[in-house]
């Protein structure tokens, strides 16, 4: 049976909560695995039909070593290895076959609202997904935190669960590519 894989990067845990809520929403329709990017497989399993990736906005884009170090220095964050995260995983992961669907999300501060329209980290995630030959299943989604370290804004976990269910429905009706 086709499985979904959710790969996330999360410095303070907000994006991890979102990843698990998305997985929860998907799990009514298909089996789902959730892994942090620094522990994600080097190659997608042959049964993975949907890859969902997400992480925080750091300096208007995806986290990179210097911004992870900034989170450690300025916020006392615990980051196991500042050189490894979602971008680095997407740069290296092997994709065994064509036709795999993908979707991206990011987390971001809920002010200024302008950021929501600028679409930074998720846009880069989608670019990397396309570069791997994956087909974007649905537009990227953005989830808000109320401050750098969180918590998530009210209702975001529920919205993530619903987005997971929406992705599962889209996957069920998407034409199959071989
Ligand atoms: C170094 C650094 C840079 C950040 N830059 C941005 C930014 O450009 N835009 C934004 O909306 N949030 C920014 N934030 C807030 C993060 O998006 C927020 O910490 C993250 O979404 C929380 O998710 P997490 O708990 O999964 O790490 C930044 C946070 C850090 C630590």
């Amino acid at each position: 049976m086709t499985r979904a894989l959710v790969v996330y990067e999360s410095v303070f845990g907000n994006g991890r909560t979102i990843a698990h809520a998305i997985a929860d929403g998907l799990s009514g329709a298909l089996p789902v695995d959730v892994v942090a990017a620094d522990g994600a497989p080097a190659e997608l399993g042959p049964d993975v039909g949907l890859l969902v990736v997400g992480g925080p906005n750091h300096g208007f884009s995806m986290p990179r070593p210097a911004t992870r170090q900034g989170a450690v220095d300025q916020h006392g964050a615990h980051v196991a290895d500042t050189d490894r995260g979602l971008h680095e995983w997407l740069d290296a992961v092997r994709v065994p076959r064509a036709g795999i669907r993908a979707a991206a999300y990011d987390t971001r501060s809920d002010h200024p609202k302008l950021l929501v329209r600028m679409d930074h980290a998720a846009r880069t995630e989608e670019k990397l997904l396309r570069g791997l030959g994956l087909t974007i299943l649905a537009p990227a989604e953005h989830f808000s935190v109320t401050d750098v370290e969180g918590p998530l804004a009210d209702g975001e976990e529920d919205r993530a669960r619903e987005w997971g269910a929406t992705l599962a429905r889209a996957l069920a009706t998407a034409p199959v590519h071989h």
Side-chain angles (χ1 to χ4, degrees), residues 7-8 13-15 22 39 49 56-57 67 70 76 79 85 87 92 101 107 109 124 126 128 133 137 144 178:
V7 180
Y8 68 89
N14 300 282
I22 293 167
N57 272 279
T67 66
V79 177
H87 199 309
R101 305 307 167 110
T107 56
S109 307
T124 307
E126 286 186 333
L128 294 171
L137 177 68
S144 296
H178 293 288

Side-chain angles (χ1 to χ4, degrees), residues 29-42:
L30 72 172
V32 192
D33 299 300
V34 189
V35 286
D38 60 2

Side-chain angles (χ1 to χ4, degrees), residues 26-147:
L26 284 163
S27 67
L30 72 172
V32 192
D33 299 300
V34 189
V35 286
D38 60 2
E43 178 169 333
L44 294 184
D47 48 357
V48 172
L50 173 64
L51 174 66
V52 181
V53 301
N57 272 279
H58 273 188
F60 304 107
S61 189
M62 292 178 74
R64 38 210 182 273
T67 66
R68 296 182 192 115
Q69 190 59 48
V72 172
D73 296 343
Q74 290 153 38
H75 299 277
H78 297 285
V79 177
D81 182 350
T82 54
D83 288 331
R84 288 177 69 198
L86 185 61
H87 199 309
E88 291 79 2
W89 181 74
L90 285 166
D91 282 342
V93 67
R94 293 187 302 276
V95 177
R97 62 183 180 88
I100 300 172
R101 305 307 167 110
Y105 72 89
D106 61 24
T107 56
R108 52 183 60 184
S109 307
D110 63 358
H111 53 87
K113 298 285 184 202
L114 184 64
L115 264 177
V116 175
R117 279 181 276 133
M118 291 164 76
D119 261 353
H120 295 284
R123 180 169 296 179
T124 307
E125 290 164 11
E126 286 186 333
K127 197 172 120 193
L128 294 171
L129 291 168
R130 283 195 198 92
L132 288 166
L134 278 60
T135 305
I136 303 297
L137 177 68
E141 193 53 88
H142 315 288
F143 299 96
S144 296
V145 294
T146 55
D147 209 334

